[in-house]
Amino acid sequence: MNQALDILIFGAHPDDAEIGMGATIVKHTKAGYRIGICDLTYAEMSSNGSVESRKLEADEASQLLGLTMRTNLGLPDRGLFVCREQIEAIVLEIRKFKPRIVFAPYWQDRHPDHVACSLLVQEAVFNAKLRKYLPNTEATAVDQLLFYFINDVFEADLIVDVTDDYSRKIDALHAYKTQFMPATSENDFVQTPINQGYIQRVEARDRMMGQKKIIEYAEGFVSKLPYTVNLF
């Protein structure tokens, strides 16, 4: 069975990829691209919800995004560090799905797990192409490594017009009810930075991202290497 993906997106927690590039995912799955998400942790340290509810929410969001697959490495939430075991786990995921393009969180963010995820994926993308690294699996070279924003936004190298697919991103975010629903006495949630108007702030960010090109909604990305095109 062919498991190869066009795009593989890594996030520290379920909902990271949706926040950063949910509409870009929808735009590409609608066009026939095979796209997967690999969450590094089950977000078991989240103040609201549980591992079980987060799994159900991620499943619902995955359906809305049109994903080919979604996996979870089960690494420790708030225990992500650049170490051999965690790099190897990500390398094996890359070699299993052989994506042309990999996305990771931007390397600066207020959440330490997002930063660690970015660093781990960068190490893994490099190691995945080394023939003598984990030689029992086939080396895989990724064409492009791109970075998406979660909490903090910096200057983007490229933007994607996601206006036509933006409502599906919002639907996918709303699938994470335990994370984004406001705390009330009825649901017994506690207040966190992401359940106090966070989705509205993400929407405002994505509107701002498109402003320079007069695009209603855009998602921005960064590349450490020159972004290559064949034709303009």
Side-chain angles (χ1 to χ4, degrees), residues 74-92:
L75 300 178
D77 190 17
R78 292 301 301 118
L80 295 179
F81 300 100
V82 178
C83 62
R84 179 177 60 82
E85 293 80 8
Q86 295 186 14
I87 293 170
E88 286 184 359
I90 298 171
V91 167
L92 292 175

Side-chain angles (χ1 to χ4, degrees), residues 3 10 106 115 118 133 135-136 152 178 183 205 209 211 213 226:
Q3 299 185 91
F10 288 93
Y106 189 69
V115 175
S118 182
Y133 182 84
N136 291 331
D152 303 321
T178 61
R205 175 198 72 189
M209 188 66 69
Q211 182 178 4
K213 298 293 290 185

Side-chain angles (χ1 to χ4, degrees), residues 14-29:
D15 76 14
D16 287 350
E18 287 88 339
I19 292 168
M21 55 179 295
T24 297
I25 294 171
V26 173
K27 186 182 185 83
H28 284 75
T29 57

